[in-house]
């Protein structure tokens, strides 16, 4: 009797709680690693690292907002990395989103997105150093790694309040504290002049920011789907 009752109870529960293998595989496939996202969007082709190598640079002591390099050069400042000290065994680095009030110091490494010729002009005007893919920066790495700062895809649904607004108007940086690295629109990937791009229903936005801010963005913009 006990065995019979147990079977009768477990059968419906099994259907409710066990995910079919095919569905589980599909869910696993839908989750993309950082490397897959970087490769898919071609971020590395549009990403540059520059270092404030000298205290004589005109960028030293200025805030990101004061530089206003998006207006001047069409460049986005994504991230700043700054040495947090060094001991006998470990070199550490602080990784920060480039907020408007962040003051730039000698030795800082800025991650920028934009066209190569505009990056080069900015480097020359402010006496900066352009790092190549093989140059050791602060933390011994040349990759775009994320720790407390993460990357996620945001799917814009029909009911989202962001549709028909540009990236700047939507306030991704000012309201939510996240950067938009790219837009996937059907089969196209948009990487340049993102601030002036209007958001369409069905767009997938690749955003970078603190996980808490990405979660807040997901909750506040309506029926958006977020994939880490």
């Amino acid at each position: 009797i006990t065995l019979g009752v147990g079977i009768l109870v477990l059968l419906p529960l099994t259907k409710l709680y066990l995910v079919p293998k095919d569905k589980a595989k599909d869910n696993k496939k839908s989750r993309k690693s950082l490397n897959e996202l970087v490769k898919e969007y071609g971020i590395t082709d549009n990403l540059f690292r520059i270092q404030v190598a000298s205290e004589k640079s005109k960028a030293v002591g200025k805030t990101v907002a004061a530089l206003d390099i998006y207006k001047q050069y069409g460049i986005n400042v994504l991230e700043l990395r700054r040495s947090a000290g060094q001991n006998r065994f470990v070199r550490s680095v602080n990784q920060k989103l480039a907020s408007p009030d962040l003051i730039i110091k000698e030795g800082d490494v800025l991650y920028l997105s934009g066209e190569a010729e505009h990056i080069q002009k900015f480097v020359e005007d402010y006496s900066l150093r352009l790092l190549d893919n093989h140059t050791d920066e602060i933390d011994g790495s040349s990759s775009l790694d994320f720790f407390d700062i993460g990357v996620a895809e945001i799917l814009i649904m029909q009911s989202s309040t962001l549709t028909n607004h540009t990236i700047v108007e939507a306030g991704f940086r000012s309201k939510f504290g996240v950067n938009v690295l790219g837009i996937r629109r059907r089969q196209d990937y948009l990487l340049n002049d993102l601030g002036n791009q209007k958001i369409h229903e069905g767009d997938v936005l690749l955003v970078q920011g603190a996980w808490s801010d990405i979660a807040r963005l997901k909750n506040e913009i309506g029926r958006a789907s977020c994939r880490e």
Side-chain angles (χ1 to χ4, degrees):
I1 293 172
T2 302
L3 180 61
V5 172
I7 291 172
L8 289 174
V9 171
L10 287 175
L11 280 176
L13 290 178
T14 301
K15 291 181 180 179
L16 283 174
Y17 292 107
L18 291 185
V19 180
K21 290 183 179 180
D22 291 342
K23 189 173 181 180
K25 288 180 181 178
D26 290 340
N27 289 337
K28 188 176 181 181
K29 286 179 181 178
S30 69
R31 296 181 63 84
K32 302 173 186 176
S33 68
L34 174 59
N35 288 335
E36 287 172 335
L37 287 172
V38 168
K39 185 176 180 181
E40 178 182 342
Y41 282 80
I43 294 174
T44 52
D45 299 331
N46 203 51
L47 182 71
F48 298 86
R49 298 179 304 139
I50 63 101
Q51 186 174 43
V52 186
S54 170
E55 63 179 5
K56 296 180 180 179
S57 169
K58 291 187 290 184
V60 173
K62 291 188 176 181
T63 63
V64 172
L67 288 178
D68 197 17
I69 66 172
Y70 181 77
K71 185 176 180 181
Q72 298 290 335
Y73 303 93
I75 297 170
N76 283 315
V77 185
L78 302 179
E79 179 185 318
L80 179 143
R81 296 190 184 187
R82 177 176 294 164
S83 175
Q86 180 175 352
N87 58 36
R88 183 177 175 184
F89 302 103
V90 179
R91 285 188 299 169
S92 57
V93 62
N94 284 332
Q95 183 185 21
K96 303 178 181 180
L97 284 179
S99 60
D101 59 348
L102 187 63
I103 297 175
I104 296 172
K105 299 180 180 180
E106 180 187 1
D108 287 350
V109 173
L110 299 176
Y111 279 71
L112 310 175
S113 67
E115 297 183 17
E117 58 189 45
H118 297 162
I119 299 287
Q120 187 60 47
K121 182 72 167 56
F122 173 59
V123 167
E124 292 172 358
D125 288 350
Y126 283 87
S127 303
L128 304 168
R129 180 187 176 199
L130 182 63
L131 303 178
D132 61 36
N133 291 332
H134 306 290
T135 302
D136 182 15
E137 51 179 53
I138 297 170
D139 60 351
S141 168
S142 63
S143 62
L144 183 65
D145 298 318
F146 298 96
F147 307 100
D148 293 331
I149 297 175
V151 170
E153 286 184 311
I154 299 289
L155 173 63
I156 305 300
M157 305 297 285
Q158 184 177 8
S159 59
S160 173
T161 57
L162 299 183
T163 54
N164 296 320
H165 290 82
T166 66
I167 297 295
V168 171
E169 290 170 347
F172 281 89
R173 179 75 70 89
S174 59
K175 290 172 60 178
F176 302 107
V178 302
N179 296 311
V180 179
L181 302 182
I183 301 174
R184 174 159 59 88
R185 183 170 294 158
R186 298 183 180 89
Q187 302 301 318
D188 296 327
Y189 292 86
L190 309 177
L191 299 173
N192 294 316
D193 195 25
L194 293 176
N196 294 320
Q197 289 288 342
K198 278 199 172 184
I199 300 168
H200 297 173
E201 174 193 344
D203 281 354
V204 178
L205 309 184
L206 187 68
V207 299
Q208 172 208 26
W211 289 121
S212 57
D213 289 331
I214 291 174
R216 184 166 61 89
L217 170 65
K218 176 189 173 185
N219 292 331
E220 289 191 20
I221 65 176
R223 294 176 56 200
S225 170
C226 181
R227 289 204 303 270
E228 298 176 5

